Amino acid sequence: MAATELSSAALLGIVYYALCSSIMLVINKVTISLIPLPGLVFCIQFLTTFLAIVVGKASGLLKVDDLTMNKAKQFAPYVVAFVLSIYCNGKVLQYCNVETLITFRACSPLAVSILDWVFLGREFPALRSMLALIGVVIGAVGYVLCDSEFQMRGVSAYGWVSLYLVVIIFEMTYAKHMVSSVKFDSVIWGSVLYTNALAAGPMMMLGFGSGELSQVSEVSWSVGGLAMLVLCSVLGICMNWSGWNCRSQISAAAYTLLGVACKLISVLLNVLIWDKHASPLGIFWLIVCLLSSIFYRQAPMSSSK
């Protein structure tokens, strides 16, 4: 993604978010492999972040808005999409490799760029940016066609990840609307507070509804698994803050594409520590996705808005 016309604060936010996002995906994958209860894992992450903010506010370390019913109603549609995307994310990591998740998400910036233009006051993407986004989609299609999961089970292998793609497109677009329209004294920490406070309950219900409660006794609760659960919960705080901070400074399409491009670090880490990664040809198509994203340039605000 081109760095022209971005402020130093935006560039710093991009780097911090890229680092957190890249590491978090691999940490979540390892955690869910050791504790195959994605609903429980993510619920603990949400509660950890929520409690950290409450303690920070009570001690005077953080300036955070109070929880109010009016803002909670405004956040409700986003939280529903957020919970579904996180849960689908966990299910994809449970059944597929990391590259499958990354490649399907690579298809989302093209749709979000159109929604940016229709709803969020951005200009229509320039030819260079459209070609870059189309290159990302071509790479994704190439990956799917050579993926062993697709060859063995066809479209049924992609149920969870297809749902994830639809939800993430809505989430990325609506979240940018939230940052622009909801008034906070502390925009970043306020958004993090509302997201995690409202998401913990629905995530718990999703976990129970999918039968995770009956599976708790079957899980091998090793020291390593618990250590990874603690680590991903703490990193969740950094991920939440960096995500909302970055989202507030760039367009919805640019943020969505960044979430794809920065995953190259995830792939490198995944190849080093995990035994269920894509074939060399699959990695090639993944790199096509990521290289195409470099040529994307954020669309400016429309002068007519």
Side-chain angles (χ1 to χ4, degrees):
M1 182 173 63
T4 57
E5 300 181 358
L6 291 177
S7 67
S8 58
L11 289 174
L12 185 60
I14 287 172
V15 172
Y16 183 41
Y17 170 73
L19 180 62
C20 291
S21 178
S22 302
I23 294 174
M24 193 69 182
L25 179 61
V26 177
I27 295 298
N28 277 339
K29 174 64 178 176
V30 175
T31 303
I32 292 172
S33 71
L34 296 173
I35 305 175
L37 304 169
L40 175 64
V41 169
F42 291 128
C43 187
I44 291 175
Q45 286 185 16
F46 297 159
L47 290 174
T48 299
T49 300
F50 171 70
L51 291 174
I53 295 174
V54 170
V55 172
K57 180 180 180 180
S59 63
L61 295 176
L62 298 177
K63 179 182 179 182
V64 187
D65 300 72
D66 294 326
L67 289 169
T68 66
M69 184 58 68
N70 182 51
K71 289 179 181 176
K73 290 179 180 178
Q74 291 178 283
F75 255 80
Y78 169 76
V79 169
V80 171
F82 173 72
V83 170
L84 282 176
S85 69
I86 292 293
Y87 186 75
C88 291
N89 179 296
K91 283 296 186 181
V92 174
L93 292 179
Q94 184 176 353
Y95 296 116
C96 302
N97 54 39
V98 171
E99 289 84 357
T100 301
L101 177 69
I102 295 172
T103 305
F104 264 75
R105 182 163 176 171
C107 297
S108 62
L110 183 59
V112 175
S113 67
I114 304 300
L115 296 177
D116 244 352
W117 169 59
V118 174
F119 296 110
L120 298 177
R122 293 277 171 181
E123 291 186 0
F124 192 81
L127 179 61
R128 164 179 159 168
S129 294
M130 286 300 294
L131 290 176
L133 295 176
I134 291 171
V136 171
V137 174
I138 290 173
V141 172
Y143 172 83
V144 167
L145 293 177
C146 71
D147 181 36
S148 60
E149 293 288 329
F150 182 82
Q151 293 171 358
M152 288 190 299
R153 299 205 303 259
V155 177
S156 62
Y158 292 101
W160 281 111
V161 76
S162 297
L163 177 59
Y164 170 78
L165 175 61
V166 173
V167 173
I168 203 73
I169 290 171
F170 171 80
E171 180 200 344
M172 293 297 174
T173 307
Y174 193 80
K176 184 62 180 182
H177 165 72
M178 296 296 303
V179 169
S180 305
S181 62
V182 179
K183 304 302 179 183
F184 283 112
D185 293 329
S186 177
V187 176
I188 310 305
W189 282 117
S191 299
V192 174
L193 174 66
Y194 273 82
T195 299
N196 288 272
L198 298 177
M203 180 60 74
M204 185 178 297
M205 288 189 288
L206 271 178
F208 289 165
S210 63
E212 289 189 12
L213 186 61
S214 62
Q215 299 170 19
V216 171
S217 59
E218 302 172 7
V219 174
S220 177
W221 296 92
S222 64
V223 174
L226 292 174
M228 292 305 300
L229 181 60
V230 171
L231 178 59
C232 74
S233 297
V234 173
L235 287 177
I237 302 172
C238 302
M239 180 65 191
N240 271 275
W241 187 90
S242 67
W244 280 104
N245 175 62
C246 185
R247 177 180 271 140
S248 68
Q249 301 189 60
I250 60 178
S251 71
Y255 179 81
T256 307
L257 185 60
L258 174 64
V260 176
C262 70
K263 294 301 188 296
L264 179 57
I265 301 173
S266 297
V267 176
L268 297 176
L269 292 174
N270 191 57
V271 169
L272 290 173
I273 68 175
W274 201 250
D275 62 354
K276 190 184 179 184
H277 45 77
S279 65
L281 185 56
I283 293 292
F284 165 77
W285 284 114
L286 179 61
I287 292 174
V288 169
C289 291
L290 297 169
L291 290 179
S292 296
S293 70
I294 295 174
F295 294 96
Y296 175 82
R297 178 171 294 172
Q298 174 176 284
M301 297 298 296
S302 174
S303 58
S304 63
K305 297 292 181 181

